Amino acid sequence: MKNILIIFFLFVQFVVLSKPLPPTINYLSVDSTTSQVEIYWTNNSSDVTGYIIYHYDLNGIWVSLDTVNGINNTYYKTLNSMGQSSSQRYSIVAFDSNNNNSPRSEPHSTIYAQSDYSLCSRYCDINWNNYYMSNMVGYRLFVKGLNATSQQVFFDTVLNINNLDTNVYFSDYIYNNLEYNSKYFFTIAAYDENDSLSRSNVFSIQTTEIEKPDFLYIRSVNNLDTVKINYHINNHSDITDIKVYKRNNYGSFYHHKTVPFDSSYLYINDYNILDIGYYYYLSPVDKCGNDYILPSMLMSSDTSIVNTLNIKYNDNSYFNWNNYEGFLGNVYSYNIYQELNGSYSDIQNVNNNYFPFEIQDYGVSCFYLYAIEDNNNIYGFRDTSFSNKICLEKPPLVFLPNTFSPNNDYKNDIFSPVIEGVYEVKGYVFNILDKWGNIIFT
């Protein structure tokens, strides 16, 4: 009887002391829709009737979260996880039919990922805590892009991530080719040889919102003392500068200047050689430094290019000039504006790039040409482009007598110059010198 009691006691002690082995957590994954954590594990003992889920709370204490009954129920989904805002840590305890508990399993932490995006960037920096799972192959990045205005998905892809900047605790990856005016959603996932996925939280960025113009039409160019270019542009709230491109008749366009943006015109202190024509086009620059080559109007591919009007006076007998090519409509007429001695006049409807003209009046006359647009502009504009200004001088004629007789007979008694065009003369100096160059009269 004594031996039977001893054997029974040892058997009971063996049963009590034979705790289940701790389970092995295979992987954790954050549900992309609910943000709750899914836990997958493997049981390592035969006499198991259930599992206790432990969570490592904010106070650094392992707290019993829930109980799962049944040896084959090796999956659990949390109800109140903060997996969307931080990495969550879990461990599992198995218990048997004798209420023996296994030691806690090796803890597992969810992947928590974040991004760093700067205004105007075309990339973002993504980092996350390193994750370990059995037979792990690497990481994948799930990316979805939505247009910020229409909320339509324009991009949805999965990237296998290689060449990670990885240390013991964190991994870092640069994602490039971001589009403006978009919202991007990202998820990092570790995967193993069986393609099991341990997903991170879903995190997102809103890229810089930029309103891009649809068109830029150069209405006119004035080539007087400075070059003034008038233009028409839409959606310009994010435009900060205008790049001016220039070429002569035979060259290629080059970046000439960048000027601050104005909604309708710009000035360039340009020196244009009169006998050479110049062409311009404009490229708006947005607040992020992106510049655009735009059509002159919607549903068009033609860039608005204008040329300067250049008028020349040749052989003291005629004006000629080049054609103006910038209007969306046609040139209605060319006119020559004349300024002489404070008076102004127009020479109307000079065509064929040629106008005969001889200077009749003494003094300085200034001229410029201007082209007037017809009524066929699609925007309803009727603009005027001005040429360079040229000033011509016809000096007064001075006649001096070669002798005089100061004898009071009223014939050639006075020696004085006679000036044709005297109204242009403000004054003069009259000296008489002897043959040795000495002034004898002034």
Side-chain angles (χ1 to χ4, degrees):
M1 183 67 178
K2 181 178 180 181
N3 291 336
I4 293 174
L5 288 175
I6 292 173
I7 293 172
F8 178 76
F9 173 78
L10 290 175
F11 174 75
V12 171
Q13 187 180 41
F14 172 78
V15 170
V16 171
L17 294 178
S18 295
K19 298 179 179 181
L21 296 174
T24 300
I25 295 179
N26 299 325
Y27 61 94
L28 309 177
S29 187
V30 179
D31 186 280
S32 300
T33 303
T34 64
S35 300
Q36 295 306 306
V37 177
E38 297 176 303
I39 308 172
Y40 299 84
W41 66 89
T42 298
N43 172 47
N44 295 315
S45 298
S46 57
D47 183 23
V48 169
T49 58
Y51 309 91
I52 304 171
I53 312 299
Y54 281 86
H55 175 241
Y56 196 70
D57 71 9
L58 296 176
N59 297 315
I61 299 172
W62 284 104
V63 177
S64 174
L65 188 65
D66 205 348
T67 299
V68 177
N69 293 308
I71 188 172
N72 295 319
N73 293 329
T74 55
Y75 164 84
Y76 179 78
K77 187 173 184 177
T78 62
L79 299 176
N80 296 294
S81 170
M82 294 187 295
Q84 184 60 32
S85 58
S86 63
S87 178
Q88 301 295 298
R89 198 176 188 192
Y90 296 92
S91 180
I92 299 176
V93 168
F95 60 87
D96 61 19
S97 57
N98 295 304
N99 292 320
N100 296 314
N101 290 345
S102 74
R104 278 199 312 271
S105 68
E106 285 292 323
H108 253 53
S109 298
T110 61
I111 301 174
Y112 178 68
Q114 304 176 83
S115 61
D116 184 17
Y117 175 76
S118 300
L119 184 71
C120 294
S121 292
R122 290 286 193 179
Y123 67 90
C124 66
D125 184 62
I126 299 172
N127 60 81
W128 63 94
N129 55 297
N130 279 339
Y131 187 78
Y132 301 96
M133 61 194 300
S134 181
N135 300 314
M136 179 171 163
V137 176
Y139 293 98
R140 288 179 180 151
L141 175 64
F142 294 78
V143 187
K144 180 183 289 187
L146 272 69
N147 181 280
T149 303
S150 68
Q151 294 298 303
Q152 295 295 312
V153 175
F154 67 88
F155 189 75
D156 196 349
T157 192
V158 181
L159 302 175
N160 288 326
I161 300 177
N162 299 311
N163 303 318
L164 285 175
D165 179 12
T166 303
N167 59 33
V168 176
Y169 301 106
F170 295 100
S171 294
D172 188 84
Y173 179 74
I174 303 296
Y175 181 75
N176 294 294
N177 302 318
L178 294 174
E179 296 288 339
Y180 294 134
N181 305 316
S182 302
K183 189 166 187 178
Y184 285 85
F185 296 88
F186 301 96
T187 305
I188 290 290
Y191 68 102
D192 61 15
E193 293 175 349
N194 297 318
D195 215 27
S196 300
L197 294 177
S198 174
R199 292 176 177 266
S200 74
N201 55 301
V202 178
F203 55 103
S204 63
I205 60 168
Q206 171 68 59
T207 59
T208 307
E209 294 188 12
I210 294 179
E211 188 175 32
K212 177 185 173 182
D214 299 309
F215 61 82
L216 187 151
Y217 164 56
I218 302 179
R219 297 177 55 175
S220 63
V221 57
N222 299 336
N223 193 29
L224 294 171
D225 297 329
T226 59
V227 174
K228 180 183 179 183
I229 299 177
N230 300 293
Y231 53 85
H232 176 51
I233 183 174
N234 77 333
N235 299 342
H236 54 71
S237 60
D238 292 317
I239 300 302
T240 59
D241 297 287
I242 292 284
K243 284 185 176 180
V244 181
Y245 289 83
K246 180 180 179 181
R247 71 168 175 86
N248 60 28
N249 279 331
Y250 310 105
S252 300
F253 278 108
Y254 63 94
H255 178 211
H256 178 50
K257 290 184 178 180
T258 298
V259 298
F261 175 74
D262 182 276
S263 60
S264 58
Y265 64 88
L266 61 84
Y267 283 101
I268 310 171
N269 292 318
D270 250 359
Y271 172 69
N272 286 336
I273 301 171
L274 299 185
D275 59 351
I276 298 178
Y278 288 92
Y279 288 80
Y280 294 93
Y281 78 82
L282 306 179
S283 175
V285 182
D286 67 29
K287 63 186 178 183
C288 291
N290 306 296
D291 56 323
Y292 306 98
I293 305 300
L294 300 175
S296 57
M297 54 186 173
L298 290 173
M299 309 302 292
S300 171
S301 59
D302 294 335
T303 302
S304 186
I305 297 174
V306 294
N307 63 302
T308 55
L309 268 175
N310 294 87
I311 187 171
K312 294 178 284 185
Y313 187 63
N314 299 281
D315 301 329
N316 293 319
S317 61
Y318 68 94
F319 292 107
N320 72 329
W321 58 89
N322 60 311
N323 287 323
Y324 183 71
E325 304 170 17
F327 295 142
L328 277 179
N330 298 308
V331 174
Y332 175 75
S333 69
Y334 292 102
N335 300 330
I336 295 177
Y337 176 90
Q338 179 182 10
E339 176 187 344
L340 174 64
N341 303 323
S343 298
Y344 308 93
S345 62
D346 266 347
I347 305 171
Q348 300 283 339
N349 296 320
V350 290
N351 293 306
N352 302 317
N353 308 93
Y354 172 87
F355 183 72
F357 186 85
E358 290 188 18
I359 299 175
Q360 303 294 330
D361 300 304
Y362 294 103
V364 177
S365 298
C366 292
F367 304 85
Y368 61 79
L369 182 77
Y370 60 98
I372 300 175
E373 188 176 10
D374 65 14
N375 292 317
N376 295 318
N377 188 297
I378 191 173
Y379 295 113
F381 302 131
R382 192 177 186 194
D383 286 303
T384 302
S385 280
F386 295 85
S387 75
N388 57 299
K389 180 191 289 187
I390 56 175
C391 292
L392 310 174
E393 182 178 8
K394 183 176 182 179
L397 295 177
V398 179
F399 300 93
L400 288 174
N402 55 15
T403 186
F404 75 112
S405 58
N407 57 5
N408 295 321
D409 63 355
Y410 303 104
K411 295 179 180 179
N412 298 321
D413 287 332
I414 299 174
F415 184 88
S416 67
V418 177
I419 302 174
E420 187 176 321
V422 68
Y423 52 82
E424 281 297 306
V425 177
K426 296 180 180 179
Y428 62 89
V429 175
F430 179 37
N431 294 327
I432 299 176
L433 290 72
D434 63 19
K435 64 180 181 180
W436 294 283
N438 300 308
I439 297 175
I440 58 176
F441 177 83
T442 184

